[in-house]
Amino acid sequence: MDIGVALIVQAAVTMPFVVPRPADQPPATWAAYGLTTLTVLPLVWRRRFPFGVLVAVLATSALYQVAGNGPGQPLPYAGLVVVHSVAALCPPPRRLVVLALLPLITGVSVWLNTRSLRELTFSLFVLGAAYVSGRLSDVRQAYVAAVEDRAAELERANRIEAEQAAARERARIAREMHDVLSHAVSLMVVQAEAGPVAVRTAPERAEAAFDAISETGRDAMAQLRRMLGVLRDGADDPAPHQPQPDVDQLPVLVERVRSGGLDVSYDVVGGAHRLPGAAGATAYRVVQEALTNVVRHASARRVAVRLVNTAHSLEITVTDDGRGPAGGAAAPPVPGPSAAAPAGRTTAGHGLTGIRERAAAHGGTASAGPGPGGRGFEVRVVLPRDPVGSGAEVGS
C-alpha cells in the first residue's frame, strides 16, 4: 500500500514536467526531476518511520527549492502525505512538536518559493487539513480496535455463560436421574426382597408387591423417557414431553412407598397455595428423595410426611422412627460421602446435597438431623412462595 501511495504521488509531481512550460521559463531538467523523485521515495517507509520520513521529505524539498530549476508544484503532495502519517502514527510528543513547527516550516518554504501570502494561507490550510485527517484516522482506528476488543470480550463472556449454563443443566439432569433411579430402584429392591416371604405367608401381599414393582418400574421409565426427550431434538423425539411432577402428585408417591410395607402418613396443613414455576417439582423431588433415604438407610417402621402451607412459604417435613444420624448430631454444612454408618445414618450425601441445592435454587433452606426427642431422622425444607432473585431453574 505504501508503494502504491508513493507511485500515485510520483505521478502527481510528474505532471508539471510533462506539461509544456512558458517560453520565458527554462526547460525542466532530469536533475530536477530526480530531486522530485528523491522527495517522493521516502514515502515508502512512512508508516514504519513517519517522523524520520518527515525529516527526509523536508530536506529533499528544501534541496529542490534551493538547487533545483524545476517547475513548481500546485500542491505539496509528499508533505501532505507525511503530515497525515505523522498525525496518525506518531506518539503525542512528536506529533505535537510537528504541529507546533508546521507554521514555521510552511512559512520558510513559501519564503523560499514565491513569498506570497496567498500561497502561505493555502499551504497552512491544506497541511492543517492533512494533520486533522491523520488525527481522525487515528481516532477511528482506536475506536474500531475498542469495538473489536469489546466484541471479543462479549464473545468470551457469552461462551463462559453458555458453558456455565451447560454445567448447571448437566447438574440438574444428574439430580433428576439420581432422584428417579434411586427412588425407583430402592422401592423395587425392598418389594423384591419382601416378595419371597410374602409368597409363602400371604400370597395376596406378594401379588401387591409385584404390582408395586411393575408400577414403580413403569413410572421410572416414563420419567427417564421424558428427561432423555429433553436432550434429543424435539422434532425427532417420538416420546411425549410430560410435565414435571408437582405437589398434587405427592399422595400417589406416598401410596407407592406405603405399598412396600412402610407405614407412611401424609398430612397437609393450611390452604392450597400454588407454588411458583418449578418450585412444585422441587417440593415433589424433596419428598421423593427423603422417602428414598428412609427406605434405603433408616430401617424405619413409620415415616410422617407433613406439609405446612402459609401465604409466604411451604414447609416440608419428613420424619422417620429409624436410625438417626451418626453421633446424633445435626447435618454438617459441608456435604460428604453417602453411606450408612453402624451407629446411625450419615447426614450428608448426594441425596441430601441435592435437597439442599434444590431448596437453595428457589431461595429456600434445608436442614437434616435427629428427629423429635433425638429419635429417628428428620428432613426439613422451607420453600418461599415469592423468592426474590432465587435464580430458580426450570425443571429443577
Side-chain angles (χ1 to χ4, degrees), residues 66-388:
V66 172
N69 193 21
Q73 298 290 337
L75 284 172
Y77 299 107
L80 292 173
V81 173
V82 75
V83 167
H84 173 92
S85 302
V86 168
L89 302 174
C90 279
R94 288 192 175 185
R95 68 169 180 257
L96 290 177
V97 168
V98 172
L99 181 61
L101 294 179
L102 195 59
L104 177 61
I105 296 172
T106 305
V108 172
S109 176
V110 171
W111 186 81
L112 291 175
N113 190 20
T114 63
R115 302 183 182 182
S116 167
L117 179 61
R118 178 181 179 182
E119 182 183 357
L120 175 63
T121 55
F122 180 74
S123 299
L124 287 175
F125 175 78
V126 294
L127 289 172
Y131 186 90
V132 172
S133 174
R135 293 306 307 135
L136 291 176
S137 177
D138 182 36
V139 171
R140 178 181 176 277
Q141 291 180 358
Y143 173 76
V144 170
V147 170
E148 291 177 349
D149 291 343
R150 178 58 178 168
E153 181 181 348
L154 289 176
E155 183 179 358
R156 288 192 298 268
N158 291 336
R159 185 173 63 253
I160 292 173
E161 183 179 355
E163 291 173 354
Q164 292 175 345
R168 289 194 298 268
E169 183 65 10
R170 286 194 298 269
R172 185 190 70 81
I173 294 175
R175 288 197 302 266
E176 291 284 326
M177 297 282 285
H178 171 271
D179 290 352
V180 172
L181 292 177
S182 177
H183 176 76
V185 172
S186 297
L187 288 182
M188 292 168 71
V189 167
V190 170
Q191 297 282 9
E193 290 176 344
V197 178
V199 167
R200 292 190 298 268
T201 60
E204 67 281 358
R205 289 186 56 191
E207 183 178 352
F210 293 140
D211 289 342
I213 292 174
S214 175
E215 181 182 356
T216 302
R218 283 195 298 269
D219 181 70
M221 289 297 297
Q223 295 191 55
L224 289 175
R225 279 197 300 268
R226 176 181 51 77
M227 284 186 287
L228 294 176
V230 174
L231 301 179
R232 301 192 190 101
D233 184 1
D236 300 330
D237 180 22
H241 291 182
Q242 300 174 356
Q244 284 277 48
D246 204 343
V247 179
D248 298 339
Q249 296 175 258
L250 283 177
V252 178
L253 173 66
V254 169
E255 184 59 33
R256 186 181 303 130
V257 177
R258 187 182 292 135
S259 65
L262 185 65
D263 183 5
V264 186
S265 64
Y266 180 67
D267 187 22
V268 179
V269 179
H273 298 280
R274 190 73 178 175
L275 285 170
T282 293
Y284 180 92
R285 294 300 187 197
V286 164
V287 176
Q288 182 185 54
E289 181 59 31
L291 291 175
T292 301
N293 287 341
V294 172
V295 172
R296 295 177 60 187
H297 305 301
S299 299
R301 294 183 177 180
R302 288 184 296 274
V303 59
V305 178
R306 181 180 176 87
L307 273 61
V308 178
N309 285 293
T310 68
H312 305 289
S313 66
L314 170 65
E315 179 181 325
I316 304 170
T317 306
V318 180
T319 308
D320 65 69
D321 63 352
R323 288 183 299 182
V334 180
S338 177
R345 292 154 59 188
T346 58
T347 56
H350 295 296
L352 292 179
T353 300
I355 289 176
R356 296 189 185 97
E357 290 175 350
R358 290 179 183 278
H362 297 276
T365 59
S367 60
R375 296 184 55 191
F377 194 79
E378 181 178 87
V379 175
R380 181 176 179 271
V381 174
V382 178
L383 298 176
R385 297 191 181 278
D386 187 19
V388 179

